[in-house]
Amino acid sequence: MRKIAILLMVIMVPLVMFGSQITGITVSPYSGGQTLVKLGSIGDVTFTDYSLSTPSRIVIDFVGVTNDISPEKLMINRGGINSIEISKPNDKVVRFTLYTDEEYAYNITRDKSVINLTINSGVSSFAEFSKQLISDASENVDEDEGLISLDLENADLVTVLRGLANYSGRNIIVSDNVKGAITVSLHDVPWEKALDVILRTAGYTYIIDGDIIRVGTGDEFKKELKTKEESNPLINKIFKLKFAHAEEIKAPLKKILSPRGAIEVDKRTNALIVTDIKEKLDDVGKMLYVLDSPNPQVEIVVKVVELDANFDKGLGINWDVEGLSSPTGDVKGSVQSGEEIAPHTTLNVGTVSSYVNINAKLQMLEKENKSKVIANPRITAVNNQKASILGGKKFTVVTLDQRGNPVTQMYTVGAKIEVTPQINSFNEVTMDIHAELSTVEGASTNHPIINTTEANTRQVVKDGETVVMGGFIKSTETNTSTGLPLLRGIPILGNIFGTQTKHNEKKEVLIFLTPHIIK
């Protein structure tokens, strides 16, 4: 282990590369039958990830990588990964395409200088694969090279900074406002971490600009940045968007502009006109590369069915099976058919893995006039965008205002459903559902009564699974009078000449929603 004493000013070879880089790739087994792909990085690396099918693959695009990575195809053949192809779609992007033997759910995180990609491959044991992607000047040096140890008491801060700069092979410029002494004891830490800790402890900051380290106060750098932004010339640049709406993407981009910058939207061409200094325009371009990407779509098949709840046999749903939602229970499970419909006092929500059997029974009951399809629409929604479906009728009511003038008001009753889908990396769909069912009494009068039942829920289902909502109960009471006219209306004796029949009818409305990810 190499150690450094600042007072002796021992100069070592520089070991730090410049800019944002991808240093290497490692594929190894991970806990729970997962495959862990590690991508080593240096600097501020920006990336975006997505999955594709036919063939199955996971794509990671890195923006602004400075090291020269040669396009190649790495044959992995382990951990569910067939190969990893490294390519350059353009001069700003380095793409890693992981070809897998089937579609796997995955998760990607960043941990300091490592991007970790975990794939649910189901493979628990295989030999590790490793590949270095940059030439390292310290390849033939001990793995502990670059770590330093400092043990100083009341050492001059400027002298300490010069020693660290010499060790790193960088030049250093220290502001006149930087002064004082420092007491520090660090063991086996990277030189840049030591520099950061020492300066933050002393109340200063630094900027690494190429091979130059600049040290000063935060106010100095803020003032310098402001002066630079005010003195640099403004440039106009047009960014034409392919997928995103210019108006929607304007707000997040406006936050990264300088005080002199401006952004305008051209709705006709769906373009952004940005005015700012060159550095800020580059930042806008990097952010747009991530934000202006294809947005997946979800087709949602909805079926609203009204059933006669008085039949002993019919479709039948057992809402008490394991995993079904209730006011105090879980929200996922399997809806089972074959039992009689039980009365519901609250709304119920569950999931159906196979909609085929349920749909077949619905069709059978419809033929027997025991059920009626109120609505069966299909709608395509963009990921994270609300879709609305309305099946019902509209009617008007004429009322009088305070001055006695007639006012016509429009009312809508029926089944109204609002769904916001969100696709995750496991090819599951999270649906925020708002369901509203309404009926009207006295539509032809000036004082109609609208009965409304509403429900809000969030469900996570796999592609093609069905969410079913039940508990929407409608009860109607019908009084029928039969017999001889006039005579049946005689008090007491009228029962001899006629009969009074009271009929109670209870119906339940079920709502089925099936999302399909459009690929």
Side-chain angles (χ1 to χ4, degrees):
M1 172 67 65
R2 278 201 291 176
K3 302 182 183 294
I4 177 171
I6 291 295
L7 297 179
L8 295 178
M9 307 298 290
V10 180
I11 303 176
M12 298 299 197
V13 296
L15 296 171
V16 181
M17 307 294 289
F18 309 122
S20 301
Q21 304 176 24
I22 303 299
T23 59
I25 184 168
T26 302
V27 181
S28 60
Y30 195 56
S31 61
Q34 294 180 313
T35 298
L36 175 61
V37 180
K38 288 186 176 183
L39 293 164
S41 65
I42 295 177
D44 186 15
V45 177
T46 302
F47 68 90
T48 181
D49 63 278
Y50 52 94
S51 62
L52 299 170
S53 57
T54 317
S56 302
R57 57 201 187 276
I58 300 170
V59 182
I60 308 174
D61 286 343
F62 293 92
V63 182
V65 175
T66 58
N67 58 311
D68 187 18
I69 300 179
S70 301
E72 61 177 316
K73 190 169 186 178
L74 307 176
M75 302 308 299
I76 308 300
N77 296 322
R78 67 198 75 187
I81 302 175
N82 298 326
S83 62
I84 299 177
E85 185 176 352
I86 305 172
S87 59
K88 290 185 176 182
N90 55 59
D91 57 351
K92 294 182 179 179
V93 178
V94 176
R95 174 170 295 169
F96 286 75
T97 304
L98 287 73
Y99 290 89
T100 56
D101 49 22
E102 61 180 86
E103 290 189 22
Y104 294 120
Y106 72 91
N107 185 43
I108 188 166
T109 59
R110 181 193 298 233
D111 182 14
K112 294 181 180 180
S113 61
V114 178
I115 290 107
N116 296 303
L117 171 68
T118 54
I119 303 174
N120 296 341
S121 61
V123 183
S124 57
S125 178
F126 57 87
E128 181 180 287
F129 174 90
S130 182
K131 171 75 174 180
Q132 193 77 8
L133 298 178
I134 65 170
S135 57
D136 193 345
S138 58
E139 267 184 2
N140 298 321
V141 185
D142 279 347
E143 61 179 4
D144 292 330
E145 291 282 10
L147 302 181
I148 64 174
S149 296
L150 306 175
D151 195 0
L152 307 169
E153 183 176 354
N154 292 325
D156 180 67
L157 179 58
V158 176
T159 304
V160 174
L161 296 175
R162 287 176 179 170
L164 287 172
N166 284 330
Y167 176 78
S168 68
R170 307 285 182 93
N171 301 303
I172 189 168
I173 299 175
V174 182
S175 168
D176 293 337
N177 294 322
V178 177
K179 56 188 69 175
I182 188 75
T183 298
V184 62
S185 179
L186 298 172
H187 299 281
D188 302 335
V189 297
W191 72 268
E192 190 171 347
K193 184 175 182 180
L195 174 67
D196 180 68
V197 171
I198 290 171
L199 288 176
R200 281 194 291 112
T201 303
Y204 301 109
T205 186
Y206 70 99
I207 295 176
I208 297 181
D209 185 5
D211 61 348
I212 299 175
I213 302 174
R214 300 179 57 218
V215 181
T217 64
D219 291 338
E220 286 178 324
F221 288 127
K222 287 181 182 178
K223 185 177 180 180
E224 178 185 322
L225 179 61
K226 184 178 180 181
T227 302
K228 181 180 179 181
E229 290 180 347
E230 292 177 351
S231 60
N232 283 355
L234 294 177
I235 303 173
N236 293 322
K237 188 171 183 179
I238 299 175
F239 296 91
K240 290 187 177 181
L241 306 184
K242 298 179 180 178
F243 306 102
H245 290 287
E247 192 66 43
E248 295 178 355
I249 214 168
K250 175 182 176 181
L253 292 176
K254 195 172 183 178
K255 296 179 180 179
I256 66 173
L257 299 181
S258 70
R260 299 167 62 202
I263 183 169
E264 298 293 337
V265 173
D266 183 48
K267 293 183 179 180
R268 185 180 65 85
T269 59
N270 193 38
L272 294 170
I273 305 170
V274 184
T275 303
D276 214 327
I277 61 176
K278 183 180 182 303
E279 290 80 2
K280 293 300 181 180
L281 292 178
D282 292 340
D283 293 340
V284 170
K286 290 180 181 179
M287 182 174 285
L288 278 177
Y289 178 80
V290 178
L291 297 180
D292 187 27
S293 56
N295 205 354
Q297 294 181 313
V298 180
E299 182 191 46
I300 302 172
V301 181
V302 181
K303 195 164 192 174
V304 183
V305 181
E306 183 181 81
L307 296 170
D308 191 337
N310 293 322
F311 283 105
D312 293 334
K313 296 181 181 180
L315 169 66
I317 293 179
N318 180 10
W319 295 98
D320 298 324
V321 296
E322 180 182 359
L324 277 182
S325 72
S326 66
T328 58
D330 199 352
V331 296
K332 291 200 69 178
S334 297
V335 173
Q336 298 180 354
S337 61
E339 304 293 336
E340 66 177 358
I341 298 177
H344 299 295
T345 57
T346 59
L347 296 176
N348 297 277
V349 181
T351 59
V352 181
S353 298
S354 178
Y355 181 59
V356 177
N357 294 334
I358 295 289
N359 193 43
K361 282 205 168 186
L362 289 174
Q363 293 176 353
M364 179 188 69
L365 290 176
E366 190 172 7
K367 291 180 180 179
E368 297 175 358
N369 294 322
K370 297 178 182 179
S371 71
K372 180 175 69 174
V373 177
I374 299 176
N376 189 21
R378 292 172 178 258
I379 190 170
T380 300
V382 177
N383 192 32
N384 291 314
Q385 297 292 323
K386 182 187 293 186
S388 299
I389 301 170
L390 175 63
K393 63 180 180 179
K394 295 183 178 182
F395 65 94
T396 59
V397 176
V398 179
T399 59
L400 300 178
D401 60 13
Q402 294 179 350
R403 297 182 178 180
N405 299 318
V407 177
T408 302
Q409 292 180 309
M410 181 72 70
Y411 294 91
T412 302
V413 294
K416 181 181 179 181
I417 302 170
E418 294 179 345
V419 184
T420 303
Q422 181 182 5
I423 304 171
N424 61 28
S425 61
F426 295 92
N427 270 344
E428 295 175 335
V429 181
T430 301
M431 292 194 296
D432 290 324
I433 306 170
H434 171 77
E436 178 180 316
L437 203 66
S438 57
T439 58
V440 61
E441 297 178 6
S444 60
T445 67
N446 291 335
H447 303 283
I449 299 175
I450 299 177
N451 302 310
T452 303
T453 304
E454 296 184 46
N456 291 284
T457 184
R458 173 174 290 181
Q459 291 284 288
V460 180
V461 293
K462 294 180 180 179
D463 183 12
E465 284 189 343
T466 300
V467 176
V468 56
M469 302 178 68
F472 297 93
I473 302 296
K474 296 194 304 181
S475 297
T476 57
E477 183 177 296
T478 305
N479 294 318
T480 304
S481 177
T482 59
L484 296 175
L486 300 177
L487 296 179
R488 68 186 182 190
I490 300 175
I492 302 176
L493 296 178
N495 293 329
I496 301 174
F497 303 101
T499 60
Q500 298 287 334
T501 304
K502 182 182 291 185
H503 177 68
N504 292 317
E505 187 179 45
K506 183 181 291 185
K507 290 185 179 294
E508 178 175 9
V509 176
L510 300 180
I511 301 175
F512 299 87
L513 300 99
T514 307
H516 297 282
I517 300 175
I518 299 176
K519 300 179 181 179

